[in-house]
Amino acid sequence: MVERENTRTDDVPLDDKAKRMRDLLSSFYNPDHSSAPKAPSNYENLDAIDSTSFDPDHYMNLLVQQSNLEGLLRRHVEMAAEIKNLDTDLQMLVYENYNKFISATDAIKWMKSNIVGMEANMEQLLDKIMSVQSRSDGVNTSLFEKREHIEKLHRTRNLLRKVQFIYDLPARLAKCIKSEAYADAVKFYIGAMPIFKAYGDSSFQDCKRASEEAVIILVKNLQGKLFSDSESIQARAEAAVLLKQLDFPVDSLQARLLEKLEQSLGDLQLKTVGIENILRESNDPSKQGKAFESIPNTGHEVSVHGFAEAIRAYRVIFPDSESQLIKLAQNLVIKHFEMIEQCVKRRISSANFLGALRTIWTDVLLMDEVLSEAALPDFSLEAGQVTVKKYVASTFTYLLQDISDALLKVNVSPKEAAEEHPLQVALEASKKTVLQGSMDLLLDFRQLLDDDLGLLVKLREFIADWVQEGFQDFFRALDDRFLILSGRKNSTSQDQGFSDGALGEKVLVGIVLVLAQLSVFIEQTAIPRISEEITASFSGGGAQGDENGHAFVSGEICQIFRSVSETLLHHYINMRTQRVSTLLRKRFTTPNWVKHKEPREVHMFVDLFVQELRAVQSEVKQILPEGLMRKHHRSDSNGSGNSSRSNALLDDKMSRSNTQKARSQLLETHLAKLFKQKVEIFTKVEYTQESVETTIVKLCLKSLQEFVRLKTFNRSGFQQIQLDVQFLRTILKENIEVEEAIDFLLDEVIVAASERCLDPVPLENPILEKLVQVKLAKSKERSK
Amino acid sequence: MQGGSSGIGYGLKYQARCISDVKADTDHTSFLTGTLSLREENEVHLIRLSSGGTELICEGLFSHPNEIWDLASCPFDQRIFSTVFSTGESYGAAIWQIPELYGQLNSPQLERIASLDAHARKINCVLWWPSGRHDKLISIDDENLFLWTLDCSKKTAQVQSKQSSGMLHYLSGGAWDPHDINAVATTCESSVQFWDLRTMKKTNAVERAHIRNANYDMKNNHILVTAEDESGIHIWDLRKPKSPVKELPGHTHWTWAVSCNPEYDGLILSAGTDSTVNLWLAPTSAEEEATSESIAEPPAQHADPLLNSYSDYEDSVYGLAWSSREPWMFASLSYDGRVVVESVRPFLSRRVGVS
């Protein structure tokens, strides 16, 4: 026992102890184990000491085996204390239960004594209630008849009053009408309505008729009131409500009123047409920008005000009519914008355009005040977006038109333009148009951007985008237009809108040169300036522009114009040489060269050739800048020395062929070529007078050489060629910078002719000189 | 001079205009060329590319009575060819045969099989049907188109039919459609005309001025390439004769001759009087374009059609011939009598996709 208690104190902590107590108590009050808890409580055990299945022997053995003596002793002391505690707890419980039992017994005793006298009182109460009931029944029966009578009298009185009211109704209505108390009248009439419905056909016929007449008047008055603009809106709205109460077909009224509104809208539009007309007239630069602001605008504003008021009234009168009104208002906006678009087609200045937009916007704002449901600002924003876009597009179209007009002026009146430099004029004019036009455009668009008009503020980003996009497209279109104007591109693909379609075929050659130079100008001057301007003021909507890939890319445009200017320059050279080629072709295909007669004078084709060259010269002089190379060329006279050498060589060669030692002739030519530096005939063309001139001359001379090579000549034919070339050489030297290559080509022509000659005996130099001099004198005479 | 050393050169004694590929010679790459010298003894050279492909060997040298303006090798017999020649005052055309055992003879003479002597005007060219054996020949002079029946064994040539080109149409040359034995194109001052040889009637015309030379695409039916004096090269789809399918810039001066490669699509050679030969790549059908683009480097969306410009010539180049045996080789002849054979291989693999 001692050992057991020792182990217990050792092992169980204090919390465990409390828990055990609770468990024990709960098992004690548990009815199933009423006797059980006491058995385990006797045995002090470790883990399951309180459970029923506790095996004391086993526990003991375990304890003895596991614990040492000291532990067992401690366990014993602990267990003894616990037992003592349990005993005191038990005693306390017994005392408490006993006290409660005693007080319950007292209460029962007290209740028993109180119940005894209650029965007699209850019976007395029943009797009294019975007597009260019988009395009240008596009173009820005795008063019934009288009450019935009184009720009947009361009903009759009411009826009589109603009849009286109906008989009085016409008079009362008339009185109400007279005093314009329409609301009361309607109230009365509606009150009488059920009676008239029930008895109108029999007893109250007259009355009904009279009052209906009165009501008709009433309705008429009300309608009048409704339609009269002088009445206050409140009154009109009331009238509408009353009419509605009278079952009057309000819808038709509404329709009529709407019609009236539409009509006034029509008037308004007529007025705006007037405004636009004035607007248009004010396009005259003298009055520009003033007219639209002053007089017509005020008139317009007044009428729009009126319209807005009408809408407000209408809304009050017919509160459920919004959708129609919205439609109406939107119609107005649409019409406005249509009008502007019409004007845009006819080209208006941005100030005017702005003015028109401003007018519309104020209108819209006015109407928005009365009819915010219509979302007119948004609506007009959409419409305005379209219009502004169209405006931007159309301005670009006009610029394009301007430029081609400026260019075509030369084309239209080439003869009457007795001016000395029609091409130069055209170039300058078109240059100015391009630059000034684009700058003006930018300025105009700047105005659009800078304007603080609500509409435009919202569109600002879009406008910036459109402008960029517009320039991009504009320059592309310009490029196309150039190609078409130059005849490089068939205008058939896009001939619509081309007033100058007829010109497509017969392009003045000069204009091609003008276009080429203009392209250079655009690339080098116009585009940098424009892009500068654009980045300065139109970079706003850049992000969006990038997404669409439409932003103005000056590099790309420059590229386009660089290539187009090159194409055009080559085209010009080509066209010019082609004309000479035709000339040469005729010259060489017509005569029979094998049976040519002795040369008497320089052939006419040289004159024509020179004439063509003069034309080129005059065109080139007007358009292209002088080359920087000029002086350099002059001082570098090695070229002429070189050519003289080849001349000597040529003479030598021909003298040999004269002596019929021609066997080795070709070999010699080869050798000569080997020793002479290979002359680069075809060099890159530059945008200078000299470069273009010499290129054309070189190409023509090369053609001449090729034509000569295709023919066979007799001696006279060869001499004719010799003479022609000699003269040509003189003329060329007088007129243009003769570079080495030209000299070389002239020699080559004679070489070719001698090679293709059956009997190549050249003209003797004195004769040659004489003939040339004669020709020169002749041409000088003619030029005088 | 780019590519100056790549060509294999061969010098003729005199000036010359025409060179022709010997198509019937399947064992060697050889060309025929004839000189153009008014006052000298003219020659016909048979040139062969050595087996190593490094030099040109003169395989035969024959004297020819007159200066040669046009020369065409027979496509089915390597020993037969035609020439158009001139004495200075008159013109003639003949079919010649190279004698057998010519290598052993000292100064072999050409054997004249037949003379095409029905012409009264200046003869421009003689055409063989390019695609194979055909006993017909076409000769074109300034005004007329002649169809000849040639019998090589009997050594006769007879006019089968003749058609005048009509008023004011001076013919300058022609091309025989390799896809259609009955279709011939002739060039004249203002247009290209197309003839049906069965009826000898005009079937079609392309209006275009100053066409120097025309060449049918050997691979694609209906495609004709023309060279014009000033305005470069145009490629036509003959089903749509109104406007050209493609336009190539051509040469600085006249574009004298064009020639479509017999093997590779859209590979075109042109020779010009600016002393250059240009190699172009201009595929005509959309599908080919797509494939060639996919092969090409990425940015070559609008690749320059000009693959290369051979400029190592001293004079105008009039003669141009692809080798049909080795279709990447071509021969060019400049007026100073210099034959240059070049390979276009370096430019092929990149864009055309040929190994």
Side-chain angles (χ1 to χ4, degrees), chain A residues 363-396:
Chain A
D363 289 2
V364 164
L365 287 183
L366 260 175
M367 284 196 282
D368 186 45
E369 272 172 32
V370 289
L371 198 67
S372 56
E373 286 87 346
L376 279 181
D378 290 345
F379 183 78
S380 58
L381 202 64
E382 270 169 41
Q385 195 168 333
V386 175
T387 313
V388 173
K389 197 171 185 181
K390 272 191 185 156
Y391 173 71
V392 172
S394 84
T395 32
F396 277 115

Side-chain angles (χ1 to χ4, degrees), chain B residues 215-337:
Chain B
N215 194 267
Y216 278 99
D217 190 331
M218 296 287 280
K219 299 292 281 184
N220 297 308
N221 209 346
H222 307 296
I223 301 294
L224 182 77
V225 183
T226 60
E228 287 148 44
D229 277 0
E230 267 95 4
S231 33
I233 300 162
H234 288 93
I235 303 174
W236 305 85
D237 187 329
L238 300 182
R239 292 160 293 190
K240 293 175 278 181
K242 283 266 181 290
S243 61
V245 184
K246 267 216 171 96
E247 201 173 321
L248 301 174
H251 291 258
T252 321
H253 196 237
W254 298 350
T255 308
W256 193 274
V258 280
S259 184
C260 296
N261 190 284
E263 197 62 41
Y264 306 124
D265 271 331
L267 203 59
I268 296 169
L269 270 180
S270 68
T273 50
D274 59 348
S275 314
T276 56
V277 170
N278 287 346
L279 178 67
W280 308 91
L281 179 65
T284 43
S285 66
E287 164 193 290
E288 281 152 19
E289 203 152 10
T291 54
S292 85
E293 266 175 19
S294 65
I295 291 162
E297 300 95 318
Q301 203 178 11
H302 294 289
D304 189 357
L306 180 64
L307 288 186
N308 189 33
S309 186
Y310 302 91
S311 53
D312 193 21
Y313 298 91
E314 296 289 336
D315 209 332
S316 306
V317 184
Y318 301 123
L320 198 59
W322 284 105
S323 161
S324 49
R325 187 173 162 267
E326 294 177 278
W328 54 89
M329 302 295 281
F330 74 90
S332 54
L333 175 63
S334 54
Y335 192 57
D336 54 5

Side-chain angles (χ1 to χ4, degrees), chain B residues 24-74:
Chain B
D25 184 357
T26 51
D27 301 328
H28 307 92
T29 301
S30 31
F31 299 96
L32 265 177
T33 169
T35 60
L36 179 86
S37 176
L38 197 56
R39 299 185 294 267
E40 314 297 330
E41 185 98 340
N42 282 286
E43 295 162 344
V44 170
H45 289 240
L46 174 62
I47 313 167
R48 181 168 292 168
L49 189 66
S50 68
S51 54
T54 52
E55 56 180 329
L56 284 170
I57 304 160
C58 176
E59 194 66 19
L61 179 67
F62 316 98
S63 70
H64 185 276
N66 299 103
E67 57 170 5
I68 300 166
W69 284 88
D70 177 61
L71 183 148
S73 173
C74 171

Side-chain angles (χ1 to χ4, degrees), chain B residues 36-209:
Chain B
L36 179 86
S37 176
L38 197 56
R39 299 185 294 267
E40 314 297 330
E41 185 98 340
N42 282 286
E43 295 162 344
V44 170
H45 289 240
L46 174 62
I47 313 167
R48 181 168 292 168
L49 189 66
S50 68
S51 54
T54 52
E55 56 180 329
L56 284 170
I57 304 160
C58 176
E59 194 66 19
L61 179 67
F62 316 98
S63 70
H64 185 276
N66 299 103
E67 57 170 5
I68 300 166
W69 284 88
D70 177 61
L71 183 148
S73 173
C74 171
F76 52 87
D77 188 332
Q78 56 170 305
R79 293 200 294 134
I80 295 175
F81 65 94
S82 67
T83 59
V84 173
F85 48 84
S86 159
T87 60
E89 288 174 60
S90 64
Y91 275 84
I95 311 299
W96 307 88
Q97 185 166 33
I98 297 168
E100 278 183 87
L101 307 169
Y102 55 84
Q104 294 154 23
L105 291 169
N106 232 351
S107 60
Q109 287 294 310
L110 289 171
E111 187 181 352
R112 187 191 291 244
I113 293 181
S115 289
L116 310 178
D117 47 9
H119 290 276
R121 309 274 312 186
K122 179 197 168 198
I123 306 168
N124 285 307
C125 61
V126 173
L127 303 177
W128 302 81
W129 189 53
S131 296
R133 186 175 285 274
H134 187 48
D135 62 346
K136 299 285 190 292
L137 267 179
I138 289 168
S139 62
I140 296 168
D141 69 18
D142 272 354
E143 286 177 349
N144 297 301
L145 180 72
F146 284 79
L147 182 64
W148 302 79
T149 307
L150 176 72
D151 191 329
C152 291
S153 53
K154 285 189 196 151
K155 306 191 172 174
T156 56
Q158 276 164 349
V159 176
Q160 197 190 2
S161 50
K162 167 190 168 183
Q163 180 62 44
S164 163
S165 65
M167 288 291 284
L168 298 172
H169 286 293
Y170 288 103
L171 299 178
S172 59
W176 200 333
D177 189 345
H179 307 282
D180 183 351
I181 208 161
N182 292 312
V184 167
T186 61
T187 58
C188 71
E189 260 175 23
S190 58
S191 64
V192 182
Q193 298 169 328
F194 300 91
W195 305 83
D196 189 327
L197 293 178
R198 289 164 295 196
T199 57
M200 288 305 255
K201 289 268 187 296
K202 254 182 262 182
T203 54
N204 198 356
V206 167
E207 298 297 331
R208 192 86 201 176

Side-chain angles (χ1 to χ4, degrees), chain A residues 410-676:
Chain A
V410 227
N411 263 359
V412 175
S413 54
K415 276 166 202 161
E416 70 180 61
E419 304 160 66
E420 281 174 45
H421 309 298
L423 289 180
Q424 194 174 10
V425 171
L427 178 65
E428 289 311 319
S430 47
K431 265 184 186 176
K432 214 178 130 195
T433 322
V434 169
L435 197 62
Q436 201 54 47
S438 334
M439 285 301 142
D440 286 351
L441 267 191
L442 282 172
L443 211 65
D444 282 3
F445 294 142
R446 271 301 292 267
Q447 281 188 354
L448 288 189
L449 273 192
D450 294 345
D451 203 273
D452 53 352
L453 196 61
L455 181 68
L456 290 173
V457 170
K458 282 176 194 160
L459 289 177
R460 206 164 270 175
E461 283 212 345
F462 285 106
I463 292 175
D465 274 353
W466 291 330
V467 169
Q468 292 210 13
E469 194 182 321
F471 265 107
Q472 185 89 352
D473 292 348
F474 163 70
F475 280 116
R476 284 210 184 115
L478 194 63
D479 168 46
D480 255 18
R481 180 68 67 102
F482 278 6
L483 287 179
I484 290 164
L485 281 178
S486 69
R488 279 284 297 173
K489 222 179 193 179
N490 282 341
S491 56
T492 43
S493 54
Q494 39 179 308
D495 50 353
Q496 76 271 53
F498 244 101
S499 53
D500 41 302
L503 281 161
E505 290 295 308
K506 274 195 161 185
V507 187
L508 255 191
V509 184
I511 211 79
V512 178
L513 194 60
V514 173
L515 287 173
Q517 189 58 22
L518 186 58
S519 304
V520 173
F521 171 76
I522 289 174
E523 182 216 330
Q524 289 177 351
T525 315
I527 289 180
R529 275 198 63 186
I530 288 168
S531 68
E532 198 178 288
E533 197 72 18
I534 282 180
T535 41
S537 48
F538 291 95
S539 50
Q544 202 196 349
D546 278 343
E547 274 165 35
N548 299 335
H550 264 313
F552 182 70
V553 188
S554 61
E556 189 189 328
I557 299 293
C558 279
Q559 189 71 39
I560 288 175
F561 275 92
R562 195 173 307 138
S563 83
V564 87
S565 65
E566 246 165 62
T567 317
L568 287 171
L569 190 64
H570 280 125
H571 185 53
Y572 172 74
I573 291 170
N574 238 336
M575 284 168 86
R576 277 297 174 193
T577 46
Q578 229 156 12
R579 285 167 77 140
V580 177
S581 271
T582 327
L583 195 73
L584 293 175
R585 191 186 312 268
K586 282 221 184 86
R587 164 68 180 143
F588 279 93
T589 44
T590 346
N592 187 345
W593 286 96
V594 183
K595 291 173 181 160
H596 202 276
K597 286 181 190 140
E598 252 182 56
R600 280 155 195 274
E601 55 170 9
V602 177
H603 192 267
M604 206 184 63
F605 94 92
V606 183
D607 288 336
L608 295 173
F609 184 21
V610 170
Q611 205 177 315
E612 283 290 329
L613 283 185
R614 292 245 158 84
V616 170
Q617 231 167 359
S618 89
E619 282 172 2
V620 160
K621 278 227 172 81
Q622 291 176 49
I623 303 302
L624 294 175
E626 273 188 33
L628 296 169
M629 297 292 285
R630 190 167 198 143
K631 272 182 186 166
H632 173 69
H633 254 286
R634 274 274 151 87
S635 64
D636 178 28
S637 55
N638 290 351
S640 62
N642 212 342
S643 77
S644 69
R645 184 173 57 149
S646 72
N647 253 343
L649 200 127
L650 180 76
D651 291 342
D652 182 39
K653 188 164 71 188
M654 279 192 295
S655 66
R656 275 178 194 236
S657 61
N658 266 347
T659 57
Q660 303 295 317
K661 278 188 182 176
R663 179 82 191 163
S664 55
Q665 180 203 348
L666 195 79
L667 189 68
E668 260 173 51
T669 328
H670 275 305
L671 277 175
K673 273 184 183 164
L674 268 180
F675 286 112
K676 226 167 75 175

